[in-house]
């Protein structure tokens, strides 16, 4: 059962809401312990931390943008200063597992450990208690959704049941969903691996798709979330695409670039004003 959150008035009279989100998978996303004998694959993953994030932070500051970074707990352990820099720059931090286990391939015990260890690591390393979650590998399970409810998370960003914010429900668990889609994820355009191949499309494929989706969101006055990975989007020529896209967005309308936390605050405040307990969920 799903209900869309409709008719949200964006702050400042904005016509559309854009959320730029980055999944900081780095060494952990590829399972660095399994890659200790494969230095090339491991080095590409680490590029996201060494080059991607600094470039992205410079870009966000220069363009006066706030973004949401989903960070696995072990990445916070391994790259603590980098994650501290993200927090210090005013960006939102979301939970992205601990060692980036895919919930649908993990036992219930492992799923619980991913949530608990990720929370502990982000608290220990950067003193952040994330209130939003993005599922590694984008296959949320009923058990993990229940854990998000149990640990009082306020939003999830892993499902695709609408292109507007909506309430994702399963059994007695429910959570505000800030939806994603594979076509709005840089991974499918840019990542090539020796094991799995890939498309490695030219820059125009991503740019034209993301711009058309923005135009649709603008016409419908809705929100759109773009998902990026520092090891993918953080390459030099791809950052040029991202900058061109932001300029194109701004030329077409009054855009509210918001973190997922800001959007959740707005939606929950509106639900509260309408007298719906717990944001209507
Ligand atoms: Zn990830």
């Amino acid at each position: 059962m799903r209900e869309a959150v409709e008719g949200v008035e964006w702050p400042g009279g904005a016509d559309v809401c854009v959320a730029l989100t980055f999944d900081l998978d780095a060494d952990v996303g590829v399972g660095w312990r399994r890659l200790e004998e494969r230095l090339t694959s491991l080095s590409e993953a680490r590029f996201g931390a060494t080059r991607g994030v600094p470039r992205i932070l410079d870009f966000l500051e220069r363009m006066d943008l706030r973004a949401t970074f989903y960070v696995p707990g072990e990445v916070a352990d391994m790259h603590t200063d980098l994650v501290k820099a993200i927090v210090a720059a005013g960006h939102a931090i979301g939970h992205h597992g601990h060692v980036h286990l895919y919930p649908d391939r993990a036992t219930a015990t492992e799923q619980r450990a991913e949530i608990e260890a990720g929370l502990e690591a982000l608290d220990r390393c950067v003193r952040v208690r994330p209130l939003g979650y993005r599922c590694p590998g984008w296959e949320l399970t009923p058990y993990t959704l229940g854990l998000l409810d149990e640990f009082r998370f306020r939003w999830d960003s892993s499902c695709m049941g609408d292109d507007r914010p909506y309430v994702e429900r399963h059994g007695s668990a429910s959570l505000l969903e800030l939806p994603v889609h594979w076509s709005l994820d840089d991974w499918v355009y840019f990542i090539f691996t020796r094991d799995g191949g890939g498309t490695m499309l030219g820059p125009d494929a991503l740019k034209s798709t993301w711009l058309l989706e923005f135009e649709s969101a603008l016409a419908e006055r809705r929100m759109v979330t773009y998902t990026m990975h520092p090891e993918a989007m953080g390459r030099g020529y791809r950052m040029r695409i991202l900058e061109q896209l932001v300029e194109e967005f701004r030329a077409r309308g009054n855009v509210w670039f918001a973190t997922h936390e800001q959007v959740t605050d707005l939606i929950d405040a509106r639900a509260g004003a309408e007298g719906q307990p717990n944001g209507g969920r």
Side-chain angles (χ1 to χ4, degrees):
M1 181 175 152
R2 299 179 175 85
E3 314 97 69
V5 179
E6 295 185 275
V8 180
E9 294 288 326
W10 307 118
D15 305 309
V16 60
C17 171
V18 170
L20 302 178
T21 67
F22 298 90
D23 296 357
L24 182 45
D25 297 344
D27 326 48
V28 175
V30 292
W32 66 275
R33 289 188 183 88
R34 293 195 309 274
L35 290 181
E36 284 180 312
E37 300 296 322
R38 296 181 56 183
L39 294 183
T40 301
S41 295
L42 191 53
S43 70
E44 189 191 16
R46 288 176 171 162
F47 177 94
T50 56
R51 289 290 275 160
V53 171
R55 259 197 191 128
I56 289 163
L57 288 178
D58 284 349
F59 161 78
L60 294 171
E61 184 179 359
R62 189 159 45 80
M63 304 295 278
D64 193 23
L65 298 166
R66 292 292 169 275
T68 308
F69 287 77
Y70 288 94
V71 182
E74 200 171 38
V75 168
D77 275 327
M78 299 175 84
H79 302 284
T80 303
D81 288 345
L82 194 67
V83 182
K84 280 182 177 171
I86 294 169
V87 174
H91 304 296
I93 299 289
H95 194 298
H96 195 43
H98 184 60
V99 294
H100 204 266
L101 277 187
Y102 294 169
D104 62 306
R105 297 180 189 173
T107 65
T109 303
E110 290 168 335
Q111 291 179 58
R112 178 173 289 277
E114 278 286 285
I115 297 295
E116 292 179 348
L119 286 170
E120 287 164 12
L122 288 170
D123 179 44
R124 182 175 62 251
C125 296
V126 291
R127 293 276 172 261
V128 166
R129 196 303 187 188
L131 295 168
Y133 175 78
R134 173 168 284 162
C135 167
W138 280 355
E139 195 64 88
L140 189 63
T141 63
Y143 186 73
T144 287
L145 180 63
L147 289 173
L148 301 179
D149 216 13
E150 177 185 331
F151 284 89
R152 312 297 293 171
F153 279 81
R154 294 176 61 206
W155 79 87
D156 173 66
S157 184
S158 318
C159 289
M160 309 181 185
D162 203 308
D163 52 17
R164 301 161 294 183
Y166 70 99
V167 179
E168 182 70 49
R169 292 185 191 278
H170 188 87
S172 61
S174 63
L175 198 59
L176 175 66
E177 179 64 42
L178 303 179
V180 293
H181 192 260
W182 296 113
S183 63
L184 307 176
D185 180 343
D186 63 353
W187 197 268
V188 301
Y189 299 88
F190 289 151
I191 288 295
F192 179 92
T193 67
R194 201 188 62 176
D195 302 316
T199 48
M200 195 69 86
L201 295 169
D204 289 344
L206 177 141
K207 187 177 173 186
S208 59
T209 303
W210 288 19
L211 191 54
L212 283 168
E213 178 63 8
F214 171 82
E215 289 174 349
S216 165
L218 179 64
E220 296 177 346
R221 302 184 69 82
R222 63 177 166 85
M223 172 190 184
V224 58
T225 289
Y226 297 103
T227 299
M228 292 162 274
H229 299 76
E231 63 268 47
M233 192 57 88
R235 293 271 158 191
Y237 77 92
R238 296 168 184 168
M239 291 301 296
R240 300 286 294 269
I241 302 168
L242 182 56
E243 182 163 340
Q244 289 168 11
L245 273 170
V246 168
E247 288 169 349
E248 298 264 10
F249 294 168
R250 284 179 163 156
R252 281 168 166 72
N254 181 1
V255 186
W256 185 43
F257 286 94
T259 68
H260 275 173
E261 187 166 12
Q262 289 174 307
V263 174
T264 301
D265 285 346
L266 183 77
I267 289 172
D268 280 356
R270 193 185 74 144
E274 292 172 355
Q276 301 174 53
N278 190 24
R281 299 191 291 279

